[in-house]
Amino acid sequence: MDKPKVVLGVSGGIAAYKACELLRRLTESGHDVRVVPTASALHFVGAATWSALSGHPVSTEVWDDVHEVPHVRTGQEADLVVVAPATADTLARAAHGLADDLLTNTLLTARCPVVFAPAMHTEMWEHPATRENVSVLRRRGAVVIEPATGRLTGADTGKGRLPEPGEIFEVCRRVLERGAPVPDLAGRHVVISAGGTREPLDPVRFLGNRSSGKQGYAFARTAVARGARVTLVSANAALPDPAGADVVHVGTALQMREAVVKAAADADVVVMAAAVADFRPAAYAEGKIKKKDGRDPEPVALVRNPDILAEISADRAVPGQLIVGFAAETDDVLANGREKLRRKGCDLLVVNEVGESKTFGSEQNEAVVLAADGAETPVPHGPKESLADTVWDLVVPRLP
Ligand code: CTP
């Protein structure tokens, strides 16, 4: 079988050096990669490096090798185009359909999925011009992953860093695997909660649960690959931030509620995969609670936490917003699931059976997805990503 053909567009930013690592990963995993740098990218990494690492000649202009019509062929033949880093200028030229160099010509002739991994200073990323360009590209079906937050070129830090090459590679792998020409969550904002909340008793102790966050993170990664803008509200998950998602870290149920309600204000879909504590200690001890010799411990009084899923389902921020809940059950799994779907008022409920050795912390999951419209979809034992993709397959046709 022919190797999948990938075009790696590189635009002129300091993060261009990281694209060398992405290129290596792509070639080493069996992809035939053509690098198309912009002229300014060559100020950062020279054509010799791209050519040696890709095993192909490299050009930036449409005037090289004109007899082979590279400005049309390179895009037409590609199975995936990934632009990393994508500067504000490249995003603007792509959004406006300019065709002033080989990369922009390639973007116009490509009919395959296109992934942009932007990298720029925070001010440029946040500028309304860039925001609009990104929205236009996403609406047209491009996957524009969110930049990471951290150290930028100078001493400054903020949002705008190119995600790590390994993470961009994972997004590319997933997009290629799906192969759909138009990612079906393009232009959609999805909010996903993940992990387990911790309800503090004192500065060192908390009531918590065994949720690892892996299922919620799998939702985030798959949604990015399907073109969505993703906000991940994560509670105490010991996992690296997934590339391309906006991650809001929270600790308690009350903090999770605030973050989810805020993010849901313009969301098309909300997935509540987090294990939210139903109760929290009524009082928080400012100092560490000490054991008092010879005396029984004080009972811990608990109060109810708000039910975030029920609240956002009853009071939808956006008409037609689709809400997905989770139910972790130990007995009477389906009957409890149906009852919970009705009680919570969400559109889909992913019901899974949990126990000491099941689901928590594992890479695999098995579930039944119940829909408010009566549909029931069993999902066989498999990777958490497959379960997430099945849920997205059920979400997409139900969106307005
Ligand atoms: N959930 C929530 N807010 C809470 C508790 C739960 O949003 N305070 C959400 C979870 O994220 C999950 C769903 O509700 O999507 C199911 O939670 P679960 O704890 O199983 O439901 P309960 O209503 O607590 O039912 P029970 O305790 O009877 O199992």
Side-chain angles (χ1 to χ4, degrees), residues 272 274 276-278 306-309 325-328 340 343-344:
M272 283 296 299
V276 185
D278 291 318
D307 187 326
I308 307 167
L309 177 61
F326 267 71
K340 196 168 284 177
R343 184 158 42 88
K344 300 260 187 179

Side-chain angles (χ1 to χ4, degrees), residues 371-391:
D373 54 30
E376 248 178 50
T377 312
V379 188
H381 192 72
K384 292 187 170 178
E385 255 92 27
S386 305
L387 171 57
D389 271 320
T390 305
V391 173

Side-chain angles (χ1 to χ4, degrees), residues 59-281:
S59 50
T60 62
E61 302 303 330
V62 292
W63 311 117
D64 303 327
D65 304 314
V66 175
H67 62 288
E68 289 181 6
V69 215
H71 72 290
V72 178
R73 250 195 33 215
T74 313
Q76 277 176 341
E77 289 176 358
D79 297 301
L80 174 78
V81 178
V82 49
V83 185
T87 56
D89 178 67
T90 297
L91 293 174
R93 289 187 300 137
H96 289 86
L98 301 192
D100 51 358
D101 62 6
L102 187 55
L103 178 57
T104 43
N105 274 270
T106 301
L107 288 168
L108 283 180
T109 48
R111 292 295 174 269
C112 59
V114 178
V115 175
F116 290 94
M120 63 196 74
H121 273 82
T122 313
E123 292 80 359
M124 296 173 102
W125 174 250
E126 288 176 349
H127 194 282
T130 307
R131 309 293 337 129
E132 268 176 47
N133 292 332
V134 168
S135 310
V136 166
L137 292 168
R138 281 183 173 148
R139 266 205 311 280
R140 289 192 200 132
V143 176
V144 184
I145 68 179
E146 291 288 311
T149 301
R151 181 87 191 268
L152 301 173
T153 320
D156 45 350
T157 58
K159 188 163 179 176
R161 264 175 76 89
L162 187 73
E164 290 311 309
E167 295 172 5
I168 303 172
F169 170 74
E170 276 305 307
V171 173
C172 293
R173 197 179 57 74
R174 282 204 182 85
V175 170
L176 261 173
E177 216 171 71
R178 285 193 58 76
V182 177
D184 54 5
L185 287 172
R188 305 288 191 174
H189 178 207
V190 311
V191 177
I192 297 152
S193 72
T197 67
R198 289 179 179 176
E199 311 301 315
L201 279 157
D202 70 14
V204 292
R205 302 183 183 93
F206 57 83
L207 300 180
N209 61 67
R210 289 153 55 87
S211 175
S212 66
K214 286 180 183 169
Q215 183 61 68
Y217 277 58
F219 270 98
R221 286 193 298 271
T222 48
V224 167
R226 296 172 79 138
R229 173 161 76 87
V230 178
T231 306
L232 176 66
V233 181
S234 171
N236 310 299
L239 298 169
D241 288 356
D246 258 329
V247 188
V248 183
H249 293 277
V250 297
T252 65
L254 290 179
Q255 289 165 356
M256 173 157 281
R257 173 179 175 266
E258 192 183 333
V260 167
V261 168
K262 185 169 171 220
D266 67 347
D268 299 286
V269 188
V270 183
V271 178
M272 283 296 299
V276 185
D278 291 318
F279 304 99
R280 66 179 182 277

